[in-house]
Amino acid sequence: MSGNIRRHILLTGMMGSGKSTIGQRLADALNWPFFDLDEEIEKRYAMTIPQIFAQHGEETFRHWERETLERMLAHDMAIVLALGGGALLQEKSHDLVKAHRVIWLDAPSSELWRRVKDTNRPLVAQGQEAFFLMHQARRAVYEKVASLKIECVGDPSTVVAAILQGLGADIGEQGNCD
Ligand code: S3P
């Protein structure tokens, strides 16, 4: 496809909002490749996310996250990409994704917390109150960057169907067939 930017589908939202699970199912439904940004970072730097936070700190993680995001967006096939919950926090990353379709998956804070509280995500270690405040603070960012917000509760196939419906004709204009 010469001269045109591939319009990828990017899933954003808090930790536990279902970006990876739904992203994989959405990609299957579209027959597009699926990638998870955190997994790509882990492969690229040969460390787990908790190791990166512990050994290099969050600032370095954000730097590596942005670099990896740029590489993923350069794919010349349209992809579905599940972002980490903080990948679009920096204003300068908004320009990177504005040509793509950004979908915000959300759920009530208590439900998100239930899903992540027993995982080893570094920012979960700050506790429930900090997590709820983070969700509250980040809503404005997700709202600003995403063109579609989907409540990610219940049956995953219903969530995928809602996304496909929300994308509507927009998705038909550019698949991976050409
Ligand atoms: C983060 C979310 C995580 C991961 C890192 C930081 C965040 O990804 O990128 O632990 O700042 O919200 P998930 O949203 O996939 O859990």
PDB file of all heavy atoms in Angstrom, residues 13-17 19-20 36-38 41 49-50 53 58 61-62 65 82-87 89 116 119-124 131 134 138 142, ligand 1:
ATOM      1  N   GLY A  13      -6.513   1.674  27.885  1.00  0.00           N
ATOM      2  CA  GLY A  13      -7.351   1.534  29.082  1.00  0.00           C
ATOM      3  C   GLY A  13      -6.510   1.028  30.239  1.00  0.00           C
ATOM      4  O   GLY A  13      -5.361   0.617  30.068  1.00  0.00           O
ATOM      5  N   MET A  14      -7.111   1.060  31.405  1.00  0.00           N
ATOM      6  CA  MET A  14      -6.398   0.675  32.633  1.00  0.00           C
ATOM      7  C   MET A  14      -5.926  -0.778  32.606  1.00  0.00           C
ATOM      8  O   MET A  14      -6.467  -1.605  31.876  1.00  0.00           O
ATOM      9  CB  MET A  14      -7.340   0.825  33.840  1.00  0.00           C
ATOM     10  CG  MET A  14      -7.433   2.210  34.394  1.00  0.00           C
ATOM     11  SD  MET A  14      -5.896   2.793  35.140  1.00  0.00           S
ATOM     12  CE  MET A  14      -5.971   2.036  36.766  1.00  0.00           C
ATOM     13  N   MET A  15      -4.975  -1.044  33.475  1.00  0.00           N
ATOM     14  CA  MET A  15      -4.590  -2.435  33.736  1.00  0.00           C
ATOM     15  C   MET A  15      -5.857  -3.209  34.098  1.00  0.00           C
ATOM     16  O   MET A  15      -6.681  -2.714  34.863  1.00  0.00           O
ATOM     17  CB  MET A  15      -3.639  -2.482  34.947  1.00  0.00           C
ATOM     18  CG  MET A  15      -2.319  -1.821  34.729  1.00  0.00           C
ATOM     19  SD  MET A  15      -1.429  -1.578  36.318  1.00  0.00           S
ATOM     20  CE  MET A  15      -1.824   0.127  36.674  1.00  0.00           C
ATOM     21  N   GLY A  16      -5.992  -4.390  33.536  1.00  0.00           N
ATOM     22  CA  GLY A  16      -7.153  -5.214  33.871  1.00  0.00           C
ATOM     23  C   GLY A  16      -8.386  -4.926  33.040  1.00  0.00           C
ATOM     24  O   GLY A  16      -9.433  -5.542  33.247  1.00  0.00           O
ATOM     25  N   SER A  17      -8.282  -4.019  32.088  1.00  0.00           N
ATOM     26  CA  SER A  17      -9.486  -3.682  31.308  1.00  0.00           C
ATOM     27  C   SER A  17      -9.737  -4.689  30.186  1.00  0.00           C
ATOM     28  O   SER A  17     -10.756  -4.596  29.505  1.00  0.00           O
ATOM     29  CB  SER A  17      -9.393  -2.252  30.756  1.00  0.00           C
ATOM     30  OG  SER A  17      -8.270  -2.130  29.910  1.00  0.00           O
ATOM     31  N   LYS A  19      -7.457  -5.550  27.581  1.00  0.00           N
ATOM     32  CA  LYS A  19      -6.874  -5.169  26.289  1.00  0.00           C
ATOM     33  C   LYS A  19      -6.257  -6.369  25.544  1.00  0.00           C
ATOM     34  O   LYS A  19      -6.444  -6.501  24.338  1.00  0.00           O
ATOM     35  CB  LYS A  19      -5.808  -4.072  26.496  1.00  0.00           C
ATOM     36  CG  LYS A  19      -6.333  -2.812  27.166  1.00  0.00           C
ATOM     37  CD  LYS A  19      -5.248  -1.793  27.421  1.00  0.00           C
ATOM     38  CE  LYS A  19      -4.172  -2.196  28.382  1.00  0.00           C
ATOM     39  NZ  LYS A  19      -4.490  -2.177  29.818  1.00  0.00           N
ATOM     40  N   SER A  20      -5.556  -7.227  26.280  1.00  0.00           N
ATOM     41  CA  SER A  20      -4.884  -8.352  25.612  1.00  0.00           C
ATOM     42  C   SER A  20      -5.891  -9.425  25.193  1.00  0.00           C
ATOM     43  O   SER A  20      -5.844  -9.915  24.058  1.00  0.00           O
ATOM     44  CB  SER A  20      -3.821  -8.971  26.529  1.00  0.00           C
ATOM     45  OG  SER A  20      -2.931  -7.959  26.939  1.00  0.00           O
ATOM     46  N   ASP A  36       0.985  -7.555  21.560  1.00  0.00           N
ATOM     47  CA  ASP A  36       0.811  -6.970  22.893  1.00  0.00           C
ATOM     48  C   ASP A  36       2.072  -6.152  23.174  1.00  0.00           C
ATOM     49  O   ASP A  36       3.177  -6.697  23.146  1.00  0.00           O
ATOM     50  CB  ASP A  36       0.646  -8.128  23.889  1.00  0.00           C
ATOM     51  CG  ASP A  36       0.465  -7.654  25.310  1.00  0.00           C
ATOM     52  OD1 ASP A  36       1.419  -7.061  25.873  1.00  0.00           O
ATOM     53  OD2 ASP A  36      -0.617  -7.875  25.854  1.00  0.00           O
ATOM     54  N   LEU A  37       1.903  -4.875  23.417  1.00  0.00           N
ATOM     55  CA  LEU A  37       3.076  -3.995  23.538  1.00  0.00           C
ATOM     56  C   LEU A  37       3.997  -4.425  24.686  1.00  0.00           C
ATOM     57  O   LEU A  37       5.222  -4.426  24.534  1.00  0.00           O
ATOM     58  CB  LEU A  37       2.623  -2.536  23.721  1.00  0.00           C
ATOM     59  CG  LEU A  37       3.737  -1.491  23.691  1.00  0.00           C
ATOM     60  CD1 LEU A  37       4.497  -1.498  22.372  1.00  0.00           C
ATOM     61  CD2 LEU A  37       3.173  -0.088  23.973  1.00  0.00           C
ATOM     62  N   ASP A  38       3.411  -4.796  25.835  1.00  0.00           N
ATOM     63  CA  ASP A  38       4.254  -5.230  26.961  1.00  0.00           C
ATOM     64  C   ASP A  38       5.112  -6.447  26.578  1.00  0.00           C
ATOM     65  O   ASP A  38       6.288  -6.522  26.924  1.00  0.00           O
ATOM     66  CB  ASP A  38       3.388  -5.593  28.174  1.00  0.00           C
ATOM     67  CG  ASP A  38       2.898  -4.357  28.920  1.00  0.00           C
ATOM     68  OD1 ASP A  38       3.435  -3.262  28.696  1.00  0.00           O
ATOM     69  OD2 ASP A  38       1.961  -4.502  29.737  1.00  0.00           O
ATOM     70  N   ILE A  41       7.963  -5.347  24.441  1.00  0.00           N
ATOM     71  CA  ILE A  41       9.017  -4.693  25.247  1.00  0.00           C
ATOM     72  C   ILE A  41       9.850  -5.777  25.943  1.00  0.00           C
ATOM     73  O   ILE A  41      11.088  -5.731  25.942  1.00  0.00           O
ATOM     74  CB  ILE A  41       8.394  -3.743  26.301  1.00  0.00           C
ATOM     75  CG1 ILE A  41       7.607  -2.621  25.633  1.00  0.00           C
ATOM     76  CG2 ILE A  41       9.482  -3.173  27.220  1.00  0.00           C
ATOM     77  CD1 ILE A  41       6.694  -1.834  26.570  1.00  0.00           C
ATOM     78  N   ILE A  49       8.510  -7.005  32.639  1.00  0.00           N
ATOM     79  CA  ILE A  49       8.143  -5.630  33.026  1.00  0.00           C
ATOM     80  C   ILE A  49       8.515  -5.362  34.500  1.00  0.00           C
ATOM     81  O   ILE A  49       9.145  -4.331  34.783  1.00  0.00           O
ATOM     82  CB  ILE A  49       6.626  -5.362  32.785  1.00  0.00           C
ATOM     83  CG1 ILE A  49       6.237  -5.641  31.325  1.00  0.00           C
ATOM     84  CG2 ILE A  49       6.238  -3.943  33.209  1.00  0.00           C
ATOM     85  CD1 ILE A  49       6.775  -4.720  30.274  1.00  0.00           C
ATOM     86  N   PRO A  50       8.201  -6.279  35.428  1.00  0.00           N
ATOM     87  CA  PRO A  50       8.630  -6.016  36.817  1.00  0.00           C
ATOM     88  C   PRO A  50      10.144  -5.846  36.942  1.00  0.00           C
ATOM     89  O   PRO A  50      10.615  -5.004  37.714  1.00  0.00           O
ATOM     90  CB  PRO A  50       8.132  -7.254  37.587  1.00  0.00           C
ATOM     91  CG  PRO A  50       6.977  -7.746  36.792  1.00  0.00           C
ATOM     92  CD  PRO A  50       7.326  -7.464  35.360  1.00  0.00           C
ATOM     93  N   PHE A  53      11.053  -2.280  35.758  1.00  0.00           N
ATOM     94  CA  PHE A  53      10.719  -1.276  36.786  1.00  0.00           C
ATOM     95  C   PHE A  53      11.726  -1.343  37.948  1.00  0.00           C
ATOM     96  O   PHE A  53      12.181  -0.317  38.434  1.00  0.00           O
ATOM     97  CB  PHE A  53       9.298  -1.508  37.327  1.00  0.00           C
ATOM     98  CG  PHE A  53       8.218  -0.752  36.583  1.00  0.00           C
ATOM     99  CD1 PHE A  53       7.798  -1.165  35.323  1.00  0.00           C
ATOM    100  CD2 PHE A  53       7.607   0.362  37.133  1.00  0.00           C
ATOM    101  CE1 PHE A  53       6.797  -0.495  34.634  1.00  0.00           C
ATOM    102  CE2 PHE A  53       6.602   1.053  36.453  1.00  0.00           C
ATOM    103  CZ  PHE A  53       6.194   0.620  35.210  1.00  0.00           C
ATOM    104  N   GLU A  58      10.672   3.517  36.413  1.00  0.00           N
ATOM    105  CA  GLU A  58       9.537   3.748  35.507  1.00  0.00           C
ATOM    106  C   GLU A  58       9.913   4.656  34.337  1.00  0.00           C
ATOM    107  O   GLU A  58       9.433   4.471  33.222  1.00  0.00           O
ATOM    108  CB  GLU A  58       8.347   4.346  36.285  1.00  0.00           C
ATOM    109  CG  GLU A  58       7.140   4.538  35.366  1.00  0.00           C
ATOM    110  CD  GLU A  58       5.850   4.893  36.083  1.00  0.00           C
ATOM    111  OE1 GLU A  58       5.811   4.865  37.334  1.00  0.00           O
ATOM    112  OE2 GLU A  58       4.881   5.226  35.353  1.00  0.00           O
ATOM    113  N   PHE A  61      11.403   2.665  31.693  1.00  0.00           N
ATOM    114  CA  PHE A  61      10.352   1.828  31.108  1.00  0.00           C
ATOM    115  C   PHE A  61       9.535   2.646  30.110  1.00  0.00           C
ATOM    116  O   PHE A  61       9.241   2.190  28.990  1.00  0.00           O
ATOM    117  CB  PHE A  61       9.436   1.250  32.201  1.00  0.00           C
ATOM    118  CG  PHE A  61       8.228   0.572  31.630  1.00  0.00           C
ATOM    119  CD1 PHE A  61       8.332  -0.659  30.998  1.00  0.00           C
ATOM    120  CD2 PHE A  61       6.980   1.188  31.662  1.00  0.00           C
ATOM    121  CE1 PHE A  61       7.214  -1.271  30.421  1.00  0.00           C
ATOM    122  CE2 PHE A  61       5.860   0.589  31.097  1.00  0.00           C
ATOM    123  CZ  PHE A  61       5.983  -0.647  30.469  1.00  0.00           C
ATOM    124  N   ARG A  62       9.143   3.868  30.482  1.00  0.00           N
ATOM    125  CA  ARG A  62       8.309   4.689  29.587  1.00  0.00           C
ATOM    126  C   ARG A  62       9.042   5.016  28.288  1.00  0.00           C
ATOM    127  O   ARG A  62       8.447   5.088  27.218  1.00  0.00           O
ATOM    128  CB  ARG A  62       7.887   5.992  30.289  1.00  0.00           C
ATOM    129  CG  ARG A  62       7.000   5.794  31.507  1.00  0.00           C
ATOM    130  CD  ARG A  62       5.676   5.152  31.172  1.00  0.00           C
ATOM    131  NE  ARG A  62       4.892   4.849  32.363  1.00  0.00           N
ATOM    132  CZ  ARG A  62       3.923   3.942  32.404  1.00  0.00           C
ATOM    133  NH1 ARG A  62       3.606   3.235  31.331  1.00  0.00           N
ATOM    134  NH2 ARG A  62       3.265   3.727  33.513  1.00  0.00           N
ATOM    135  N   GLU A  65       9.054   1.907  26.274  1.00  0.00           N
ATOM    136  CA  GLU A  65       7.672   1.654  25.841  1.00  0.00           C
ATOM    137  C   GLU A  65       7.356   2.497  24.602  1.00  0.00           C
ATOM    138  O   GLU A  65       6.786   2.012  23.620  1.00  0.00           O
ATOM    139  CB  GLU A  65       6.738   2.034  27.004  1.00  0.00           C
ATOM    140  CG  GLU A  65       5.271   1.783  26.762  1.00  0.00           C
ATOM    141  CD  GLU A  65       4.436   2.152  27.986  1.00  0.00           C
ATOM    142  OE1 GLU A  65       4.648   3.243  28.581  1.00  0.00           O
ATOM    143  OE2 GLU A  65       3.557   1.366  28.359  1.00  0.00           O
ATOM    144  N   ALA A  82      -2.478  -4.298  21.610  1.00  0.00           N
ATOM    145  CA  ALA A  82      -2.884  -3.990  22.983  1.00  0.00           C
ATOM    146  C   ALA A  82      -1.771  -3.182  23.635  1.00  0.00           C
ATOM    147  O   ALA A  82      -0.620  -3.633  23.699  1.00  0.00           O
ATOM    148  CB  ALA A  82      -3.122  -5.281  23.759  1.00  0.00           C
ATOM    149  N   LEU A  83      -2.088  -1.970  24.076  1.00  0.00           N
ATOM    150  CA  LEU A  83      -1.085  -1.109  24.712  1.00  0.00           C
ATOM    151  C   LEU A  83      -1.046  -1.397  26.205  1.00  0.00           C
ATOM    152  O   LEU A  83      -2.031  -1.887  26.766  1.00  0.00           O
ATOM    153  CB  LEU A  83      -1.465   0.362  24.507  1.00  0.00           C
ATOM    154  CG  LEU A  83      -1.639   0.832  23.065  1.00  0.00           C
ATOM    155  CD1 LEU A  83      -2.118   2.280  23.049  1.00  0.00           C
ATOM    156  CD2 LEU A  83      -0.325   0.712  22.313  1.00  0.00           C
ATOM    157  N   GLY A  84       0.037  -1.013  26.876  1.00  0.00           N
ATOM    158  CA  GLY A  84       0.032  -1.000  28.334  1.00  0.00           C
ATOM    159  C   GLY A  84      -0.818   0.178  28.786  1.00  0.00           C
ATOM    160  O   GLY A  84      -0.976   1.164  28.051  1.00  0.00           O
ATOM    161  N   GLY A  85      -1.351   0.089  29.984  1.00  0.00           N
ATOM    162  CA  GLY A  85      -2.278   1.108  30.474  1.00  0.00           C
ATOM    163  C   GLY A  85      -1.700   2.515  30.545  1.00  0.00           C
ATOM    164  O   GLY A  85      -2.441   3.501  30.558  1.00  0.00           O
ATOM    165  N   GLY A  86      -0.354   2.626  30.585  1.00  0.00           N
ATOM    166  CA  GLY A  86       0.246   3.952  30.713  1.00  0.00           C
ATOM    167  C   GLY A  86       0.922   4.422  29.428  1.00  0.00           C
ATOM    168  O   GLY A  86       1.573   5.467  29.409  1.00  0.00           O
ATOM    169  N   ALA A  87       0.744   3.668  28.346  1.00  0.00           N
ATOM    170  CA  ALA A  87       1.517   3.946  27.124  1.00  0.00           C
ATOM    171  C   ALA A  87       1.183   5.281  26.471  1.00  0.00           C
ATOM    172  O   ALA A  87       2.003   5.829  25.735  1.00  0.00           O
ATOM    173  CB  ALA A  87       1.333   2.813  26.117  1.00  0.00           C
ATOM    174  N   LEU A  89       0.182   8.067  28.200  1.00  0.00           N
ATOM    175  CA  LEU A  89       0.091   9.128  29.205  1.00  0.00           C
ATOM    176  C   LEU A  89       0.810  10.397  28.775  1.00  0.00           C
ATOM    177  O   LEU A  89       0.386  11.504  29.076  1.00  0.00           O
ATOM    178  CB  LEU A  89       0.679   8.656  30.538  1.00  0.00           C
ATOM    179  CG  LEU A  89      -0.121   7.574  31.266  1.00  0.00           C
ATOM    180  CD1 LEU A  89       0.541   7.256  32.584  1.00  0.00           C
ATOM    181  CD2 LEU A  89      -1.569   8.010  31.462  1.00  0.00           C
ATOM    182  N   VAL A 116      -6.775  -7.335  38.824  1.00  0.00           N
ATOM    183  CA  VAL A 116      -5.304  -7.176  38.826  1.00  0.00           C
ATOM    184  C   VAL A 116      -4.644  -7.309  40.192  1.00  0.00           C
ATOM    185  O   VAL A 116      -3.423  -7.434  40.281  1.00  0.00           O
ATOM    186  CB  VAL A 116      -4.860  -5.803  38.222  1.00  0.00           C
ATOM    187  CG1 VAL A 116      -5.348  -5.641  36.801  1.00  0.00           C
ATOM    188  CG2 VAL A 116      -5.280  -4.639  39.100  1.00  0.00           C
ATOM    189  N   THR A 119      -1.867  -9.817  40.753  1.00  0.00           N
ATOM    190  CA  THR A 119      -0.841  -9.962  39.717  1.00  0.00           C
ATOM    191  C   THR A 119       0.434  -9.244  40.164  1.00  0.00           C
ATOM    192  O   THR A 119       0.421  -8.503  41.152  1.00  0.00           O
ATOM    193  CB  THR A 119      -1.307  -9.353  38.369  1.00  0.00           C
ATOM    194  OG1 THR A 119      -1.411  -7.928  38.509  1.00  0.00           O
ATOM    195  CG2 THR A 119      -2.654  -9.911  37.943  1.00  0.00           C
ATOM    196  N   ASN A 120       1.505  -9.424  39.388  1.00  0.00           N
ATOM    197  CA  ASN A 120       2.785  -8.797  39.781  1.00  0.00           C
ATOM    198  C   ASN A 120       3.052  -7.488  39.029  1.00  0.00           C
ATOM    199  O   ASN A 120       4.196  -7.081  38.896  1.00  0.00           O
ATOM    200  CB  ASN A 120       3.946  -9.781  39.586  1.00  0.00           C
ATOM    201  CG  ASN A 120       4.150 -10.121  38.124  1.00  0.00           C
ATOM    202  OD1 ASN A 120       3.320  -9.782  37.282  1.00  0.00           O
ATOM    203  ND2 ASN A 120       5.258 -10.783  37.810  1.00  0.00           N
ATOM    204  N   ARG A 121       1.988  -6.829  38.557  1.00  0.00           N
ATOM    205  CA  ARG A 121       2.209  -5.539  37.887  1.00  0.00           C
ATOM    206  C   ARG A 121       2.805  -4.544  38.890  1.00  0.00           C
ATOM    207  O   ARG A 121       2.232  -4.351  39.980  1.00  0.00           O
ATOM    208  CB  ARG A 121       0.885  -4.987  37.354  1.00  0.00           C
ATOM    209  CG  ARG A 121       0.324  -5.731  36.147  1.00  0.00           C
ATOM    210  CD  ARG A 121      -1.086  -5.234  35.914  1.00  0.00           C
ATOM    211  NE  ARG A 121      -1.680  -5.668  34.676  1.00  0.00           N
ATOM    212  CZ  ARG A 121      -2.319  -6.831  34.509  1.00  0.00           C
ATOM    213  NH1 ARG A 121      -2.376  -7.707  35.492  1.00  0.00           N
ATOM    214  NH2 ARG A 121      -2.887  -7.112  33.347  1.00  0.00           N
ATOM    215  N   PRO A 122       3.891  -3.875  38.512  1.00  0.00           N
ATOM    216  CA  PRO A 122       4.580  -3.000  39.477  1.00  0.00           C
ATOM    217  C   PRO A 122       3.667  -1.937  40.097  1.00  0.00           C
ATOM    218  O   PRO A 122       3.752  -1.669  41.300  1.00  0.00           O
ATOM    219  CB  PRO A 122       5.684  -2.340  38.639  1.00  0.00           C
ATOM    220  CG  PRO A 122       5.920  -3.278  37.507  1.00  0.00           C
ATOM    221  CD  PRO A 122       4.617  -3.958  37.232  1.00  0.00           C
ATOM    222  N   LEU A 123       2.775  -1.348  39.318  1.00  0.00           N
ATOM    223  CA  LEU A 123       1.981  -0.240  39.860  1.00  0.00           C
ATOM    224  C   LEU A 123       0.828  -0.719  40.753  1.00  0.00           C
ATOM    225  O   LEU A 123       0.257   0.073  41.500  1.00  0.00           O
ATOM    226  CB  LEU A 123       1.452   0.652  38.726  1.00  0.00           C
ATOM    227  CG  LEU A 123       2.562   1.314  37.884  1.00  0.00           C
ATOM    228  CD1 LEU A 123       1.965   2.146  36.759  1.00  0.00           C
ATOM    229  CD2 LEU A 123       3.469   2.191  38.746  1.00  0.00           C
ATOM    230  N   VAL A 124       0.549  -2.010  40.696  1.00  0.00           N
ATOM    231  CA  VAL A 124      -0.486  -2.580  41.575  1.00  0.00           C
ATOM    232  C   VAL A 124       0.025  -2.624  43.024  1.00  0.00           C
ATOM    233  O   VAL A 124      -0.747  -2.526  43.971  1.00  0.00           O
ATOM    234  CB  VAL A 124      -0.896  -3.979  41.060  1.00  0.00           C
ATOM    235  CG1 VAL A 124      -1.614  -4.784  42.111  1.00  0.00           C
ATOM    236  CG2 VAL A 124      -1.768  -3.830  39.818  1.00  0.00           C
ATOM    237  N   PHE A 131      -4.590   2.871  43.089  1.00  0.00           N
ATOM    238  CA  PHE A 131      -5.094   2.345  41.818  1.00  0.00           C
ATOM    239  C   PHE A 131      -6.384   3.066  41.414  1.00  0.00           C
ATOM    240  O   PHE A 131      -6.561   3.473  40.256  1.00  0.00           O
ATOM    241  CB  PHE A 131      -5.332   0.828  41.965  1.00  0.00           C
ATOM    242  CG  PHE A 131      -5.742   0.139  40.700  1.00  0.00           C
ATOM    243  CD1 PHE A 131      -4.787  -0.323  39.796  1.00  0.00           C
ATOM    244  CD2 PHE A 131      -7.088  -0.055  40.396  1.00  0.00           C
ATOM    245  CE1 PHE A 131      -5.165  -0.958  38.619  1.00  0.00           C
ATOM    246  CE2 PHE A 131      -7.482  -0.691  39.227  1.00  0.00           C
ATOM    247  CZ  PHE A 131      -6.515  -1.148  38.337  1.00  0.00           C
ATOM    248  N   MET A 134      -5.542   6.491  40.292  1.00  0.00           N
ATOM    249  CA  MET A 134      -4.899   6.419  38.977  1.00  0.00           C
ATOM    250  C   MET A 134      -5.971   6.277  37.889  1.00  0.00           C
ATOM    251  O   MET A 134      -5.922   6.951  36.859  1.00  0.00           O
ATOM    252  CB  MET A 134      -3.959   5.200  38.952  1.00  0.00           C
ATOM    253  CG  MET A 134      -3.063   5.115  37.753  1.00  0.00           C
ATOM    254  SD  MET A 134      -2.180   3.533  37.716  1.00  0.00           S
ATOM    255  CE  MET A 134      -1.254   3.607  39.220  1.00  0.00           C
ATOM    256  N   ARG A 138      -6.530   8.977  34.980  1.00  0.00           N
ATOM    257  CA  ARG A 138      -6.233   8.604  33.593  1.00  0.00           C
ATOM    258  C   ARG A 138      -7.450   8.667  32.669  1.00  0.00           C
ATOM    259  O   ARG A 138      -7.288   8.684  31.456  1.00  0.00           O
ATOM    260  CB  ARG A 138      -5.648   7.195  33.558  1.00  0.00           C
ATOM    261  CG  ARG A 138      -4.225   7.142  34.067  1.00  0.00           C
ATOM    262  CD  ARG A 138      -3.724   5.726  33.966  1.00  0.00           C
ATOM    263  NE  ARG A 138      -2.323   5.597  34.343  1.00  0.00           N
ATOM    264  CZ  ARG A 138      -1.647   4.477  34.234  1.00  0.00           C
ATOM    265  NH1 ARG A 138      -2.259   3.392  33.772  1.00  0.00           N
ATOM    266  NH2 ARG A 138      -0.384   4.424  34.590  1.00  0.00           N
ATOM    267  N   TYR A 142      -7.489   8.865  28.461  1.00  0.00           N
ATOM    268  CA  TYR A 142      -8.084   7.864  27.572  1.00  0.00           C
ATOM    269  C   TYR A 142      -9.197   8.500  26.732  1.00  0.00           C
ATOM    270  O   TYR A 142      -9.321   8.256  25.535  1.00  0.00           O
ATOM    271  CB  TYR A 142      -8.653   6.688  28.375  1.00  0.00           C
ATOM    272  CG  TYR A 142      -7.641   5.921  29.208  1.00  0.00           C
ATOM    273  CD1 TYR A 142      -7.945   5.491  30.501  1.00  0.00           C
ATOM    274  CD2 TYR A 142      -6.383   5.591  28.698  1.00  0.00           C
ATOM    275  CE1 TYR A 142      -7.039   4.775  31.261  1.00  0.00           C
ATOM    276  CE2 TYR A 142      -5.464   4.877  29.456  1.00  0.00           C
ATOM    277  CZ  TYR A 142      -5.796   4.471  30.739  1.00  0.00           C
ATOM    278  OH  TYR A 142      -4.896   3.763  31.486  1.00  0.00           O
TER     279      TYR A 142
HETATM  280  C1  S3P B   1       1.126  -0.104  33.200  1.00  0.00           C
HETATM  281  C2  S3P B   1       0.382  -1.136  32.684  1.00  0.00           C
HETATM  282  C3  S3P B   1       0.948  -2.437  32.361  1.00  0.00           C
HETATM  283  C4  S3P B   1       2.455  -2.315  32.058  1.00  0.00           C
HETATM  284  C5  S3P B   1       3.156  -1.613  33.158  1.00  0.00           C
HETATM  285  C6  S3P B   1       2.591  -0.207  33.433  1.00  0.00           C
HETATM  286  C7  S3P B   1       0.444   1.184  33.530  1.00  0.00           C
HETATM  287  O1  S3P B   1       0.282  -3.009  31.230  1.00  0.00           O
HETATM  288  O2  S3P B   1       2.662  -1.642  30.846  1.00  0.00           O
HETATM  289  O3  S3P B   1       3.059  -2.413  34.305  1.00  0.00           O
HETATM  290  O4  S3P B   1       1.116   2.198  33.724  1.00  0.00           O
HETATM  291  O5  S3P B   1      -0.809   1.184  33.531  1.00  0.00           O
HETATM  292  P1  S3P B   1      -1.245  -3.550  31.289  1.00  0.00           P
HETATM  293  O6  S3P B   1      -2.140  -2.365  31.145  1.00  0.00           O
HETATM  294  O7  S3P B   1      -1.323  -4.460  30.106  1.00  0.00           O
HETATM  295  O8  S3P B   1      -1.414  -4.257  32.566  1.00  0.00           O
END
